[in-house]
Amino acid sequence: LPVWLASKGVACWARPDKALGSHMISAQKFKFVKSFLSVGASVLMSDIDVVYLRNPFRFLWGDADIEGTTDGWDDGSAYGWMEQLDDPSLGPVGRFRPAMRITAWNSGLWYASATHASLRLMTILAYRMEHEPKTWDQAAFGEEVARPARDGHHAAGIVKRALNYWCFANSKTVFRRMRVEPQVSGHSPVVVHANYHQPKQPRMDAVYNRWHLGQTDALDTFNSEPTSVLPAPALEKNFLHQINDGFVSGGDTRTALQALSQGCGPLPSIHSVGVTLHLLPRTECEPQDTLCQACRRVARKSPSGVEEVMLVLAVAAEAEPLRLLLSSAKRAGVTSLVIAA
């Protein structure tokens, strides 16, 4: 694969690891991203099953250590909702306690700014992947992003942002909602991650044909599929005796559609607050450091002057989805892309 990529002029970092299977390869992403952060380069970490429709770097906010994509399909599942835990044995006063729920962030598409907090997060995750062979990288990522420090388990202390699910869309959002809902009929996502469906290739082809080739009926191949979605509490209604009843809503998070009026770009803070990231310094490449040299060769400068790259892990067996990803990234104007192969 590295030879083929080099023949196509694609920046490639030939990694020495001999992992087998997609999950074992995916589990290495954290130590790879850590290497890039260590030389002062921010990273958009991308799995293979992603179609780029617009240049994602132009739609990042730059106000968080980690900007992540969600498996959610509506505002509650994407940004969180409140439930009440009910233990009647504690009597009428003590029985109810609120609980926060949220769907997982997806470890297949996220942006890490070159900050000390991001580096801490990658260090924690890389350690867990090396010492917990049965832990899925998706589960570990969600835990470390969301959970607090406890006892001897220190937290990375990241500032995190959930990217708009209409703009950085998962395949459930696209094929269950965007395909049929009139309020988003003219909307083009920034990226689509085919994370919900198997096989993935037909979904990726349909997305590519719809928005890159202008085939307005490209998604119609899946017209026989359901188009309705339910909020998470409704999906769980038959199991409420296990997870406790009492769905309630806290703050108003139902604002995802508002972002589409601005074309998915960052919006001003409604609270008039700003965040300045503490970025890691840019380092010079050692002569034998091929990773650093690959990064310097293709990195783009963000509006704030930070070098950033898109990092994609690939194996030869994934040549066809990789071809489509590269084609979509090129059409979307992405030039700062490195393949770890």
Side-chain angles (χ1 to χ4, degrees):
L1 183 59
V3 174
W4 178 80
L5 290 167
S7 71
K8 301 297 183 181
V10 178
C12 176
W13 170 37
R15 63 183 195 275
D17 302 84
K18 300 297 183 182
L20 299 175
S22 60
H23 283 309
M24 292 187 67
I25 293 168
S26 185
Q28 300 177 72
K29 65 180 62 169
F30 305 120
K31 69 178 180 181
F32 293 156
V33 173
K34 178 183 175 182
S35 298
F36 281 87
L37 297 178
S38 297
V39 299
S42 298
V43 177
L44 178 63
M45 182 68 236
S46 175
D47 278 356
I48 291 292
D49 56 342
V50 178
V51 181
Y52 290 88
L53 304 174
R54 292 189 274 175
N55 189 335
F57 290 107
R58 297 174 183 169
F59 299 94
L60 298 170
W61 290 66
D63 64 350
D65 301 296
I66 303 294
E67 300 184 48
T69 59
T70 170
D71 283 347
W73 58 92
D74 58 19
D75 289 359
S77 60
Y79 307 139
W81 71 95
M82 296 297 295
E83 290 182 348
Q84 287 191 35
L85 303 182
D86 184 8
D87 185 354
S89 66
L90 290 171
V93 177
R95 65 182 295 178
F96 296 111
R97 284 297 179 266
M100 180 68 186
R101 300 282 306 284
I102 193 169
T103 54
W105 280 18
N106 196 287
S107 64
L109 183 63
W110 42 278
Y111 180 82
S113 290
T115 65
H116 294 281
S118 293
L119 187 62
R120 286 194 298 270
L121 179 63
M122 294 305 109
T123 301
I124 293 168
L125 286 166
Y127 178 92
R128 290 192 61 185
M129 291 297 97
E130 291 175 1
H131 293 82
E132 301 174 20
K134 294 184 179 180
T135 297
W136 185 23
D137 64 283
Q138 172 73 67
F141 182 72
E143 290 168 355
E144 297 304 331
V145 165
R147 290 182 174 179
R150 63 268 183 201
D151 301 322
H153 192 127
H154 291 197
I158 61 168
V159 175
K160 57 184 181 287
R161 169 177 285 278
L163 294 166
N164 187 290
Y165 60 90
W166 291 113
C167 300
F168 289 77
N170 59 60
S171 56
K172 179 174 181 177
T173 299
V174 170
F175 288 95
R176 287 290 183 93
R177 299 195 63 188
M178 200 174 294
R179 182 165 61 87
V180 296
E181 295 189 13
Q183 70 268 31
V184 290
S185 60
H187 169 61
S188 171
V190 177
V191 302
V192 175
H193 187 187
N195 59 322
Y196 268 97
H197 293 91
Q198 290 285 358
K200 296 176 181 291
Q201 192 67 43
R203 307 284 171 167
M204 296 177 69
D205 289 337
V207 169
Y208 187 94
N209 294 341
R210 167 64 183 89
W211 280 289
H212 274 314
L213 302 186
Q215 298 177 9
T216 56
D217 61 348
L219 305 185
D220 293 350
T221 304
F222 305 96
N223 276 350
S224 61
E225 295 184 352
T227 56
S228 60
V229 293
L230 296 172
L235 293 174
E236 297 169 341
K237 66 180 181 180
N238 294 327
F239 306 96
L240 288 180
H241 63 287
Q242 298 175 5
I243 62 175
N244 287 304
D245 203 349
F247 171 74
V248 295
S249 178
D252 182 12
T253 61
R254 294 162 177 79
T255 58
L257 280 172
Q258 293 181 12
L260 305 191
S261 65
Q262 302 296 321
C264 295
L267 300 173
S269 167
I270 61 174
H271 303 114
S272 300
V273 298
V275 176
T276 301
L277 300 180
H278 300 282
L279 297 170
L280 296 166
R282 182 184 188 276
T283 63
E284 296 302 322
C285 298
E286 297 293 334
Q288 70 277 13
D289 192 341
T290 57
L291 178 150
C292 185
Q293 292 168 7
C295 171
R296 293 285 180 264
R297 189 162 64 251
V298 302
R300 72 182 288 273
K301 283 192 178 294
S302 70
S304 60
V306 177
E307 288 187 334
E308 54 189 9
V309 299
M310 179 189 295
L311 177 63
V312 180
L313 273 61
V315 295
E318 298 172 324
E320 183 55 27
L322 177 59
R323 181 202 62 76
L324 195 146
L325 181 148
L326 292 173
S327 178
S328 72
K330 181 178 180 180
R331 284 175 172 266
V334 179
T335 57
S336 52
L337 189 149
V338 178
I339 305 294

